[in-house]
Amino acid sequence: MGDFPFWLRAQHLLNFFLIGLLLRSGWQIIATHPRFYWRNDCGPGTEWIKFTKRVVPPEEGAFMARDDESELPSWLALPGGKNIGLGRHWHGVVTLLWLLNGFVYVFLLFATGLWRRIIPTSFDVFPEAWREFVSYIQLQVPSIEHYQPYGALQQLAYTAVLFVFAPLMMVTGPIMSPAVIGRFPWYPKLFGGRQAARSIHFLGMVAISIFVVTHVAMVFLVHRQHNILHMVFGSSTDTSRYGVALMLFLATIVLVVSAWIAISYLSLIDIRKTQKFLFAILEPVRRLTVNKFASRTRQLGTYTEADISPYHWSNGRHPTPEESPEWTELAQNDFRDFVLEIGPPENPVRVTGDEIKALPQQTQIAMHTCMQGWTGIAKWTGPKVMDLMALGGERPADAQYLMVTSFGYAQKMHGDKPLEPYYSCIPLADCMEDESIFAWEMNDKPLPWTFGAPMRIRIESIHGYKMVKYIRRVEWIHDYSSYGDGMGGTREDSGYQVINARI
């Protein structure tokens, strides 16, 4: 039987640690929308599986997507609570580390020739695996000579994880990015659509979870001494070291599990520092990848009216009279008196709704993606962002962001501060994309209250939390750090998302 070299043992341990973080951050993400679909419209009752007893009424806006969010304990999820922002950041960072470790592992596997131990080289592996399976269900354990060093079932399981499930997770993960599916609309179609890809990603997670649990259990149930000596010392020849190996093995598992849980609680001690730390790691990767992608679905005619969702989820209820008596008064008159303010609040240019509608209008059928996981397809109409902003005069030379402020208010504030108007700062490059518009019409009708009347912004390369609804004022700014809590928007300030919403 072959020994286990140090690099193999070290990478197994690192992979165990990273897989735990990946799963726990993935559960955090799932908890925000615990439903899975095969269809892109995500309508009530179309789930093939759900992890909630909540019933969604058929009327749009009666039940918000945020109402469906579940709160998980920090010992289970990373970081726990209702922290989808940090959960997504952790998932991204750990994915990068997991991929790096995986590529190194596969390279060394082939470079050293150890792949022959894992990957079957004969079709005889299938009848051997069946005989092995029958032995297990009969509560019999094949003799130690059966493992050279792995049994047939182990070989098939390892091969499936390495070359089926792990790659499947790698290729379906990017489909969660609106920038990726907007730039390459053919890509999600390979898997049956964006929601089908999300479901496949979920099933891959389930398969890997079952593998990890089974793998650890079999270490103890089948030739425990042989397995633990190999995993700790690389060889089982010196059985006198078994006691030490067992203690080290158990201590390592306890240490890893403790680290998983500790990372959750440490993340929540200073959420803002955690947010900034994870953003600093991920942003260079975004700049090299998704920042280069602009949506082309309108240009390519990816979606048609037949694709429009019969039910479209939404988040954020319309302003109340207490929050915004101005919006309430406008709504009573069907927003005929709506005036958009362009520029700083002390000296804005005021643009009427008629002037907005007199601009060249663009219609686009697009997929709305929410960082919670749900999607919806709708038809939006309105002027391009840059065309409308031109009504406010020449753009300042140092302008880097468009700050969009809502009549509506934040749902919560960092540090439990008093609620403030919802706002978002959008990078200039995003505003200049072809599919960036100020929408005042949805599905050939005036924008409904639920979806942001009288006007909202649509930028199809980013997630929905940046697309401000109930717009009151827009303004070019140079630096977002002096507004709000300095993170780039309400969801960044209080929901701990990041200003880059492309993934």
Side-chain angles (χ1 to χ4, degrees), residues 28 30 46 62 74 131 240 274 299 306 318 324 340 392 394 424 437 458 497:
Q28 180 77 64
I30 291 172
T46 64
S74 291
R131 287 192 291 271
S240 66
T274 305
Q299 174 188 342
H318 63 75
S324 179
L340 174 68
E394 185 177 357
S424 184
I437 66 173
R458 295 293 313 174
Q497 298 291 346

Side-chain angles (χ1 to χ4, degrees), residues 333-442:
N333 195 30
D334 292 328
F335 302 102
R336 293 186 183 92
D337 300 323
F338 169 64
V339 174
L340 174 68
E341 296 180 356
I342 303 179
E346 62 272 11
N347 187 31
V349 174
R350 298 171 64 82
V351 179
T352 67
D354 288 339
E355 290 175 302
I356 293 171
K357 295 174 184 178
L359 291 170
Q361 304 291 300
Q362 176 168 297
T363 296
Q364 57 201 40
I365 302 177
M367 177 182 288
H368 179 102
T369 67
C370 179
M371 46 77 187
Q372 291 179 271
W374 58 268
T375 53
I377 299 174
K379 182 179 182 181
W380 308 94
T381 298
K384 286 194 171 186
V385 168
M386 301 307 292
D387 288 348
L388 192 152
M389 291 305 298
L391 297 181
E394 185 177 357
R395 184 176 79 248
D398 65 346
Q400 295 296 320
Y401 300 91
L402 177 64
M403 186 169 71
V404 186
T405 304
S406 175
F407 283 106
Y409 274 59
Q411 295 172 323
K412 69 171 184 175
M413 298 292 292
H414 177 69
D416 293 325
K417 294 186 299 185
L419 299 183
E420 298 176 356
Y422 194 102
Y423 80 101
S424 184
C425 299
I426 301 169
L428 175 60
D430 294 0
C431 296
M432 298 178 72
E433 289 184 2
D434 175 62
E435 296 180 19
S436 298
I437 66 173
F438 285 107
W440 57 270
E441 194 175 86
M442 177 183 181

Side-chain angles (χ1 to χ4, degrees), residues 157-218:
Y158 290 155
T159 300
V161 169
L162 278 173
F163 302 105
V164 179
F165 297 127
L168 200 59
M169 301 292 277
M170 291 163 56
V171 296
T172 53
I175 297 176
M176 304 306 104
S177 163
V180 170
I181 63 174
R183 176 62 180 80
F184 307 105
W186 54 268
Y187 187 37
K189 292 181 180 180
L190 296 177
F191 303 92
R194 202 264 193 182
Q195 287 301 323
R198 180 172 176 260
S199 290
I200 292 171
H201 197 76
F202 166 76
L203 291 172
M205 180 273 292
V206 171
I208 290 177
S209 300
I210 293 173
F211 170 80
V212 170
V213 172
T214 304
H215 184 48
V216 173
M218 295 298 279

Side-chain angles (χ1 to χ4, degrees), residues 45 51 132 141 296 312 330:
F51 301 95
E132 192 175 321
V141 177
R296 302 187 302 159
H312 199 301
L330 289 169

